[in-house]
């Protein structure tokens, strides 16, 4: 997934529908290196949409899947096909970083498009040295998320 991401700066109050409406405004994002989100928006409190697309391989169709991002800082919320999936950390005013923990997202079968394009949107609150790892995987759910890495 590392080469599949695009980005768009947004406001704190932008919704998933706003992100989808600005689909063509997203720019290619390079997940390599440290502080890769900070490099595009700078220091301070910023909000960024990250977008990635994938199709489900035929051998995984009509199953639940999961995605692991080995680290993403500061705080984030993730949607799959405009369905909210989960979040890590907390956006301001009670901001709390997810630090460097792995992010494990379960994608239920009914949220997946098993025979076409799936779109992931991640809204990130940066608050400083924000970055996303380039170790990002999608596959069958595991009993232990460490099995992905």
């Amino acid at each position: 997934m590392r080469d599949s991401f695009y980005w768009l700066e947004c406001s704190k109050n932008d919704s998933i529908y706003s992100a989808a409406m600005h689909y063509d405004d997203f720019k290619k994002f390079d997940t390599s290196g440290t502080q890769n989100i900070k490099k595009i928006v700078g220091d301070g409190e910023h909000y960024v949409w990250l977008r990635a697309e994938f199709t489900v391989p035929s051998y995984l169709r009509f199953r639940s899947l999961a995605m692991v991002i080995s680290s993403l800082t500061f705080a984030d919320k993730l949607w799959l096909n405009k369905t909210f999936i989960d979040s890590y950390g907390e956006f301001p005013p009670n901001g709390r970083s997810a630090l460097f923990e792995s992010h494990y997202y379960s994608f239920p079968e009914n949220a997946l498009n098993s025979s076409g394009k799936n779109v992931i949107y991640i809204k990130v609150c940066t608050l400083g040295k924000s970055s996303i790892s380039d170790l990002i995987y999608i596959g069958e759910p595991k009993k232990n998320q460490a099995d992905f890495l």
Side-chain angles (χ1 to χ4, degrees):
M1 293 286 306
R2 80 176 92 199
D3 296 326
S4 304
F5 280 88
Y6 292 79
W7 72 277
L8 178 68
E9 192 163 6
C10 62
S11 76
K12 178 180 182 175
N13 297 320
D14 276 356
S15 71
I16 184 62
Y17 302 103
S18 174
M21 285 177 31
H22 291 279
Y23 182 92
D24 292 333
D25 297 330
F26 279 73
K27 301 166 197 86
K28 186 71 176 152
F29 179 67
D30 182 4
T31 59
S32 63
T34 60
Q35 300 179 25
N36 50 20
I37 297 174
K38 177 188 175 184
K39 289 175 184 172
I40 60 174
V41 294
D43 286 320
E45 183 177 326
H46 295 274
Y47 294 85
V48 175
W49 284 109
L50 299 177
R51 185 192 82 220
E53 298 174 7
F54 70 97
T55 56
V56 178
S58 59
Y59 65 93
L60 291 175
R61 287 188 181 155
F62 308 108
R63 298 181 186 180
S64 296
L65 297 177
M67 180 170 116
V68 170
I69 301 173
S70 63
S71 77
L72 197 166
T73 52
F74 178 77
D76 64 274
K77 298 177 182 181
L78 184 138
W79 288 260
L80 172 66
N81 301 325
K82 298 180 192 168
T83 299
F84 179 73
I85 300 297
D86 205 352
S87 64
Y88 281 82
E90 192 172 337
F91 285 17
N94 300 318
R96 181 181 55 80
S97 176
L99 297 173
F100 300 101
E101 68 181 272
S102 294
H103 293 52
Y104 182 91
Y105 305 97
S106 293
F107 295 163
E109 182 184 334
N110 64 354
L112 286 160
N113 180 355
S114 284
S115 56
K117 178 175 71 171
N118 290 277
V119 182
I120 297 167
Y121 286 99
I122 307 170
K123 188 172 186 178
V124 181
C125 175
T126 63
L127 287 181
K129 299 172 176 57
S130 191
S131 66
I132 183 171
S133 168
D134 63 352
L135 299 174
I136 303 165
Y137 305 97
I138 295 178
E140 292 185 274
K142 307 289 184 190
K143 291 180 183 172
N144 181 351
Q145 65 183 336
D147 291 341
F148 270 96
L149 303 176

